[in-house]
Amino acid sequence: MELEVLRRAPLFASIGDDAFALLTKELTEVNLTRGSSLFKEGDQGDQLYFILSGKIKLGRRAPDGRENLLAILGPGEIFGEMALFDPSPRTATATAVSETRLVGLKHENLRDVLQTRPEVSTQLLQALARRLRRTNESLADLVFSDVPGRVAKALLDLADRFGRPAQDGVLVPHELTQEELAQLVGASRETVNKALAEFVQRGWLRLEARAVVILDLNRLRGRSR
Ligand code: CMP
């Protein structure tokens, strides 16, 4: 397994070999296929997860069955740490949106490392602050932006994290169905389809299977504000 990937992650890059050995002494390796869940909202959990490759969606389900996606996470990102700081059941369901490889680290071992390595705490706090900032932004967008604006913003965010240059623009292999994209922006699939069709018609995007190619970043950026 690529322990070096974990070793080089910003969260762990600064710790010494002893602390790293302690942290990884009960490591579990997990391979998920698209659609399989790692844990469900309400489960008990004593591990956090680091994504080696692939993508994970974090979602919540309303009593009437509707789903909302809190985030899509990719390589190098961690999740499942909340119970470490505030013991309580899992706050979201974690499901793979593509073939995904992860490592699980025991909360207990990370807690031991945090006692002696304040720099790891700083990194974790930074990750939590970043997540709060992103969540606040989504909340404000739900109130202040229309659906096309939120779709544009979500695509730009996915492009930032997963995009790569293509011949005619930026390829964003987000791996999401239109239903999942709708759950991510908090709108119906029909409204999201309409927004995507409008962007395509204007020449800002090209749709591909579970991917888009952004052809006009500036216009899309303008629409996201
Ligand atoms: P935990 O509650 O253990 O399990 C679900 C995980 O989803 C949670 O820890 C966090 O790591 C992650 N999570 C919860 N809310 C958000 C959010 N708003 N943005 C990104 N990740 C989140």
Side-chain angles (χ1 to χ4, degrees):
M1 198 244 302
E2 304 130 88
L3 259 190
E4 329 78 69
V5 181
L6 195 63
R7 189 75 182 95
R8 278 187 270 113
L11 188 57
F12 307 120
S14 63
I15 67 177
D17 289 342
D18 289 359
F20 188 70
L22 171 63
L23 190 70
T24 52
K25 74 175 184 212
E26 288 169 274
L27 206 75
T28 48
E29 203 180 343
V30 189
N31 291 301
L32 296 175
T33 52
R34 175 174 165 82
S36 38
S37 291
L38 181 62
F39 56 71
K40 295 217 173 346
E41 186 181 347
D43 286 355
Q44 297 298 328
D46 62 354
Q47 291 196 77
L48 76 159
Y49 295 90
F50 178 92
I51 304 176
L52 291 171
S53 63
K55 289 186 193 69
I56 291 285
K57 65 175 180 180
L58 295 167
R60 301 185 64 140
R61 193 182 276 272
D64 66 5
R66 284 179 303 159
E67 268 198 64
N68 168 236
L69 293 185
L70 298 170
I72 307 292
L73 304 183
E77 293 188 279
I78 59 154
F79 62 96
E81 79 301 332
M82 277 171 68
L84 168 68
F85 301 111
D86 178 24
S88 56
R90 297 291 190 195
T91 52
T93 297
T95 308
V97 292
S98 59
E99 293 271 330
T100 302
R101 295 175 53 233
L102 312 113
V103 285
L105 305 166
K106 286 250 183 249
H107 282 164
E108 194 185 310
N109 293 337
L110 180 58
R111 205 176 288 123
D112 289 345
V113 169
L114 293 177
Q115 304 289 336
T116 51
R117 313 301 304 195
E119 59 275 29
V120 179
S121 309
T122 309
Q123 291 281 353
L124 265 175
L125 285 170
Q126 194 184 54
L128 287 173
R130 211 176 291 135
R131 185 178 297 165
L132 182 59
R133 185 175 294 135
R134 187 181 280 254
T135 304
N136 285 351
E137 183 115 347
S138 305
L139 201 58
D141 289 341
L142 270 178
V143 179
F144 300 126
S145 298
D146 60 2
V147 174
R150 303 208 299 267
V151 172
K153 199 157 184 177
L155 292 176
L156 289 166
D157 175 56
L158 292 164
D160 259 356
R161 296 184 305 131
F162 306 120
R164 46 176 195 262
Q167 216 170 21
D168 49 354
V170 181
L171 170 68
V172 189
H174 54 63
E175 316 277 0
L176 303 174
T177 61
Q178 291 200 348
E179 181 72 49
E180 288 168 327
L181 196 56
Q183 291 166 354
L184 186 63
V185 301
S188 72
R189 191 162 60 87
E190 291 71 23
T191 337
V192 170
N193 282 351
K194 226 171 107 189
L196 288 171
E198 189 194 317
F199 295 163
V200 168
Q201 194 250 325
R202 287 172 185 266
W204 300 353
L205 284 186
R206 198 173 67 238
L207 301 182
E208 296 195 349
R210 301 220 171 107
V212 297
V213 178
I214 301 179
L215 305 169
D216 193 334
L217 267 176
N218 284 338
R219 292 264 158 73
L220 199 64
R221 239 179 239 131
R223 188 60 184 86
S224 76
R225 287 189 194 112

